[in-house]
Amino acid sequence: MARTRETLKNVAVEGATQPGVGGGTPTQYRVAVAGASGRMGHMLIEAIREAHDCRLAGALDLPSSPSIGNDAAAFLGHASGVPVTADIRTGLQNAEVLIDFTRPEGTLNHLKLCRELGVKAVIGTTGFSEAQKELIADTARDVAIVLAPNMSVGVNVTFKLLELAAKVLDDGYDIEIVETHHRHKVDAPSGTALKMGEVIAKVLERDLKKVAVYGREGVTGERDARTIGFSAVRGGDIVGDHTVLFAGTGERIEITHRAANRATYAQGSLRAVRFLADKASGLYDMFDVLGLK
């Protein structure tokens, strides 16, 4: 008899084996979540609970979090049997993969233990410096890592559309990137907006560090046609909107992605977890996960 959706949820959270076709027992990926009591952490834990092939194996948060010691799925009204802990080693000891959407310093601390314990990582943290990105790449020599500024499938398809648009609109079009996020976001421009700029600049054979313009104020002079502009808006509880404007003479093209909630990031993260299943080491991105390269 087919299992109901609710039954699949219960199986995933309790870590029981889910009968497969012909009575087999499919793999369940043991996943730890960093920032477990935050907004994104909650969304990830809920997605893991609903996934028949994943189960929560660890939950990390800061020592100051009021959730320390509580069941990680308590906010859902269910028991996962996994307490939220500030001890990184304890949080990772039963995990195969860590999903991390925290802050750069925290992510790098987690990766030190991931490297030691052989735990793979899916990293959605943004705001890394070039030196920090190099540390991640070095860690990927020993453990497999998916690093992406945005785990959304739709956003990564948007990146691909921007490649096509930039190839065609490479002359006579001014490029501006506008991103909007909630009031709690601490970095600007967003990692997704920067990635959009990188995608476009690569196609146009421009150095983004030299052509990027971050906001404008005062008498700025006439716009340099080779620049790529960035504008950041912060307010309310907006999950994330990104628009790239190609403004030509007599027309303009806008490519926009809007996220209604964080579920899209969580589902993309689980696709990355599955992608890493047969990878021992290496640094990958969502184009690898989605087969867009």
Side-chain angles (χ1 to χ4, degrees), residues 130 133 177 191 193-203 206 208 228 230:
E130 290 304 312
K133 289 179 182 178
I177 301 172
L194 290 171
K195 179 65 175 180
M196 287 175 163
E198 290 170 2
V199 166
I200 294 167
K202 182 177 181 181
V203 171
R206 301 177 192 174
L208 187 62
I228 297 175
F230 291 85

Side-chain angles (χ1 to χ4, degrees), residues 125-147:
T125 304
T126 59
F128 291 111
S129 67
E130 290 304 312
Q132 289 172 326
K133 289 179 182 178
E134 289 177 7
L135 286 174
I136 294 172
D138 185 65
T139 302
R141 295 168 59 186
D142 296 320
V143 293
I145 297 173
V146 171
L147 171 65

Side-chain angles (χ1 to χ4, degrees), residues 254-269:
E254 296 181 4
I255 298 177
T256 298
H257 179 275
R258 293 188 175 91
N261 58 57
R262 292 175 179 79
T264 181
Y265 308 141
Q267 292 303 322
S269 297

